[in-house]
Amino acid sequence: MAVTTAKVDGRRKLDYASFEELLADADRLSSGPVKVLGNWSAGQIFRHLALAYNGSIDGFTMTFPWYFRLMAKVFRKKLLAMPMPAGFKLPSSGTKALVPEATSTEEGLADLRAAVARLQREPHRAKHPMFGDLSNDEWNKIHLTHASLHMSLLVPL
């Protein structure tokens, strides 16, 4: 039965300041037992983040409904500054592109490391499917906020 992640207790409070901080946390989580509070394994979370990071370079096939895009335009600064809410449902096109199949922790971590290296190496960024054009700094903020959300569901034992 699927967990309603918006109502999960015991999540870690995270706010990554850098990709190095994210990768250090991923390494710590990969080195020992972890309690998973959500629906995805550590490997799936790592791979999901990697897919999003690569999508910010290659572009996304998904689109958000017009009302999400309008709200993103009107409240852009506020939305970019706040934490991402748990329990958000991707559009069906996003589910196909960003929901990973079963993935080992090692495979997911390797994907995450490669995607972070690519972000740091390649300057090009595609349009965000909800916000449109973003600077690299804005993309990085979104990526780190997104990582904080998903990684908060992994608790080291």
Side-chain angles (χ1 to χ4, degrees):
M1 181 171 193
V3 174
T4 305
T5 55
K7 298 180 180 183
V8 168
D9 288 326
R11 289 176 38 203
R12 297 186 299 151
K13 293 189 185 322
L14 299 172
D15 184 15
Y16 297 119
S18 69
F19 290 108
E20 292 76 17
E21 190 179 332
L22 163 62
L23 290 174
D25 191 32
D27 283 337
R28 277 190 300 276
L29 292 166
S30 299
S31 67
V34 174
K35 181 178 181 181
V36 177
L37 302 177
N39 297 302
W40 293 348
S41 69
Q44 286 175 298
I45 289 173
F46 299 158
R47 180 163 284 166
H48 169 72
L49 296 174
L51 291 168
Y53 297 174
N54 287 323
S56 70
I57 296 169
D58 301 328
F60 292 95
T61 56
M62 72 175 174
T63 57
F64 282 89
W66 67 268
Y67 47 89
F68 274 95
R69 294 191 310 271
L70 177 62
M71 294 302 282
K73 187 174 186 172
V74 172
F75 296 106
R76 180 183 180 107
K77 280 188 175 185
K78 182 175 181 166
L79 291 170
L80 290 175
M82 63 188 271
M84 286 188 183
F88 182 80
K89 301 289 184 214
L90 285 171
S92 60
S93 57
T95 300
K96 293 175 191 168
L98 293 172
V99 175
E101 294 185 12
T103 305
S104 73
T105 301
E106 296 77 21
E107 290 172 327
L109 183 58
D111 289 350
L112 179 59
R113 288 188 163 289
V116 167
R118 188 173 178 218
L119 281 176
Q120 294 172 333
R121 182 177 65 244
E122 297 184 30
H124 169 76
R125 294 296 178 271
K127 288 184 182 241
H128 188 280
M130 188 164 60
F131 290 103
D133 289 323
L134 294 173
S135 69
N136 285 11
D137 287 341
E138 288 171 323
W139 262 117
N140 290 346
K141 174 67 175 144
I142 285 175
H143 286 322
L144 292 170
T145 302
H146 181 222
S148 296
L149 164 67
H150 286 289
M151 298 287 283
S152 73
L153 296 164
L154 301 174
V155 180
L157 298 175

